[in-house]
């Protein structure tokens, strides 16, 4: 599957957005306030958003939950329905643009769109490309029992199981190894 630069950026953004949600009541929200949202926007180089407010923060948290539902969708039809709702509500207006040193690419958000609509449109379309390509199963959650972080499996054979093989994957492999050694030692 060919993934363009802007689609990859949107995928990284939507994964990071979904992963800002607290996993339980004890965890902190990665978008705890407007300053955290401003940092998120800056770190992901989201253009044309203007001054952010509490209203923007609330709207982004709502679409974050809707994006999380896409990662939990049981099949392509369910994912498509969720993505269609997100993109339609954002008032998508595809436009070709070449700004900030980037070559031609498509922005799906309408000029002057809120940050939530911007994210819903661009990230929603990036996820839509996966559904169209028959690759919805690549939108996953980490299989480590103590981690449910979202990720996009871009491995060749769709075999990635963990959000990060160096942390979650390695931790589980070490635990399994120790359990085998303990059992063998009797």
């Amino acid at each position: 599957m060919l993934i363009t630069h802007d689609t990859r950026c949107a995928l990284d953004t939507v994964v990071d957005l979904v992963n800002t949600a607290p996993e339980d009541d004890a965890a902190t929200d990665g978008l705890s306030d407007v300053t955290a949202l401003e940092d998120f926007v800056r770190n992901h180089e989201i253009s044309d958003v203007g001054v952010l407010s509490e209203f923007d923060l609330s709207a982004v948290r709502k679409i974050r939950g809707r994006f999380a539902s896409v990662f939990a969708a049981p099949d392509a039809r369910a994912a498509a329905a969720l993505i269609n709702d997100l993109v339609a509500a954002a008032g998508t207006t595809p436009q070709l643009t070449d700004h900030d040193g980037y070559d031609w690419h498509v922005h799906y958000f309408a000029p002057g769109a809120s940050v939530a609509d911007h994210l819903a449109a661009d990230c929603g379309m990036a996820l839509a490309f996966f559904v169209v390509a028959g690759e919805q199963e690549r939108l996953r959650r980490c299989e480590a029992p103590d981690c449910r972080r979202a990720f996009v499996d871009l491995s060749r054979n769709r075999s990635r199981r963990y959000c990060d093989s160096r942390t979650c994957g390695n931790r589980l492999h070490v635990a399994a190894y120790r359990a085998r050694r303990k059992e063998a030692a009797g």
Side-chain angles (χ1 to χ4, degrees):
M1 176 176 187
L2 175 67
I3 301 174
T4 62
H5 172 75
D6 51 317
T7 299
R8 180 60 194 257
C9 289
L11 289 171
D12 291 344
T13 299
V14 72
V15 165
D16 289 348
L17 177 62
V18 169
N19 289 335
T20 64
E23 292 186 29
D24 57 38
D25 293 336
T28 59
D29 191 322
L31 294 177
S32 58
D33 55 24
V34 175
T35 301
L37 178 59
E38 290 167 344
D39 290 343
F40 183 88
V41 166
R42 185 176 43 263
N43 292 337
H44 290 86
E45 298 179 355
I46 300 169
S47 60
D48 298 330
V49 286
V51 177
L52 300 174
S53 67
E54 287 291 331
F55 177 82
D56 292 308
L57 178 62
S58 176
V60 169
R61 285 178 177 162
K62 286 178 187 170
I63 65 151
R64 174 180 67 185
R66 295 176 73 192
F67 278 129
S69 297
V70 173
F71 280 83
D75 56 38
R77 186 166 305 284
L82 293 164
I83 293 167
N84 283 341
D85 287 346
L86 271 164
V87 171
T92 306
T93 307
Q95 292 184 338
L96 285 169
T97 184
D98 66 340
H99 62 88
D100 298 330
Y102 293 106
D103 204 0
W104 288 105
H105 59 282
V106 180
H107 281 183
Y108 294 96
F109 58 93
S114 69
V115 66
D117 285 346
H118 181 129
L119 290 167
D122 274 358
C123 296
M125 289 304 299
L127 296 176
F129 294 141
F130 274 76
V131 174
V132 168
E135 302 286 349
Q136 180 260 336
E137 74 275 3
R138 289 183 182 269
L139 309 176
R140 298 192 176 162
R141 291 288 190 158
C142 185
E143 291 182 18
D146 59 342
C147 178
R148 297 300 301 150
R149 293 178 60 84
F151 68 94
V152 177
D153 179 3
L154 297 176
S155 67
R156 207 174 214 177
N157 62 356
R158 300 175 190 87
S159 62
R160 187 171 161 198
R161 297 174 48 207
Y162 307 110
C163 64
D164 186 344
S165 61
R166 292 180 307 262
T167 55
C168 290
N170 190 49
R171 187 175 65 251
L172 288 174
H173 288 99
V174 167
Y177 171 77
R178 288 180 179 159
R180 287 192 305 273
R181 298 274 298 173
K182 184 177 180 181
E183 185 176 310

Coordinates of all heavy atoms in Angstrom, one line a residue, residues 11 32 58 65 74 78-79 81 90 97 99 109 112 122 132 137 152 158:
L11 N -1.8 9.9 9.8 CA -1.9 8.6 10.6 C -1.2 8.8 11.9 O -1.7 8.3 13.0 CB -1.3 7.5 9.8 CG -2.1 7.0 8.6 CD1 -1.3 6.0 7.8 CD2 -3.5 6.4 9.1
S32 N -4.9 17.6 28.8 CA -5.5 18.0 30.1 C -6.0 19.5 30.1 O -6.8 19.8 30.8 CB -4.5 17.8 31.2 OG -3.3 18.6 30.9
S58 N -12.5 20.8 24.2 CA -13.6 19.9 24.3 C -14.0 19.2 23.0 O -14.2 18.0 23.0 CB -14.8 20.7 24.8 OG -16.0 19.9 24.9
G65 N -12.4 10.5 21.0 CA -13.2 9.3 21.3 C -13.8 8.6 20.1 O -13.9 7.4 20.0
P74 N -15.2 -3.5 14.6 CA -15.1 -5.0 14.4 C -14.8 -5.3 12.9 O -14.3 -6.4 12.7 CB -16.4 -5.5 14.9 CG -17.4 -4.4 14.8 CD -16.6 -3.2 15.0
A78 N -18.2 -1.2 9.8 CA -18.4 -0.4 11.0 C -17.4 0.8 11.0 O -17.8 1.9 11.3 CB -18.2 -1.2 12.2
A79 N -16.1 0.5 10.6 CA -15.1 1.6 10.5 C -15.5 2.6 9.5 O -15.4 3.8 9.8 CB -13.8 1.0 10.2
A81 N -18.5 3.5 8.5 CA -19.6 4.3 9.0 C -19.1 5.4 10.0 O -19.5 6.5 9.9 CB -20.7 3.4 9.7
A90 N -17.2 17.3 9.6 CA -16.1 18.3 9.5 C -16.3 19.2 8.3 O -15.5 20.2 8.2 CB -14.7 17.5 9.4
T97 N -2.5 22.0 -2.0 CA -1.7 23.0 -1.5 C -0.2 22.6 -1.4 O 0.1 21.4 -1.4 CB -2.2 23.4 0.0 OG1 -1.5 24.5 0.5 CG2 -2.1 22.2 0.9
H99 N 2.6 24.2 0.9 CA 3.0 25.2 1.8 C 4.2 24.7 2.7 O 4.5 23.6 2.8 CB 1.8 25.6 2.7 CG 1.3 24.5 3.5 ND1 1.8 24.1 4.8 CD2 0.4 23.5 3.2 CE1 1.2 23.1 5.2 NE2 0.3 22.7 4.3
F109 N -9.6 19.7 5.1 CA -10.4 20.6 5.9 C -10.7 21.9 5.2 O -10.0 22.3 4.3 CB -9.7 20.9 7.2 CG -8.3 21.5 7.0 CD1 -8.2 22.9 7.0 CD2 -7.2 20.7 6.9 CE1 -6.9 23.5 6.9 CE2 -5.9 21.3 6.7 CZ -5.8 22.7 6.7
G112 N -10.3 27.9 7.4 CA -10.9 28.5 8.6 C -11.5 27.5 9.5 O -12.2 27.9 10.5
D122 N -8.7 15.6 7.9 CA -7.4 15.1 7.5 C -7.2 13.7 8.0 O -6.8 12.7 7.3 CB -6.3 16.0 7.8 CG -6.1 17.1 6.8 OD1 -6.8 17.1 5.8 OD2 -5.1 17.9 7.0
V132 N -10.6 1.7 2.3 CA -10.8 1.6 0.8 C -9.8 0.5 0.3 O -10.1 -0.3 -0.6 CB -10.6 2.9 0.1 CG1 -10.4 2.8 -1.4 CG2 -11.7 3.9 0.5
E137 N -7.8 -3.8 9.1 CA -7.3 -4.6 10.2 C -5.9 -4.1 10.6 O -5.4 -4.5 11.7 CB -7.2 -6.1 9.8 CG -6.1 -6.5 8.9 CD -6.5 -6.3 7.4 OE1 -7.6 -5.8 7.1 OE2 -5.6 -6.6 6.5
V152 N -0.8 1.9 14.0 CA -1.1 1.4 12.6 C 0.0 0.4 12.2 O 1.1 0.8 12.3 CB -1.2 2.6 11.6 CG1 -1.4 2.1 10.2 CG2 -2.2 3.6 12.0
R158 N 1.5 -7.7 8.0 CA 0.4 -7.4 9.0 C 0.6 -8.2 10.3 O -0.4 -8.6 10.9 CB -1.0 -7.7 8.4 CG -1.3 -6.9 7.2 CD -2.7 -7.4 6.6 NE -2.9 -6.9 5.3 CZ -2.5 -7.5 4.2 NH1 -1.8 -8.6 4.2 NH2 -2.9 -6.9 3.0

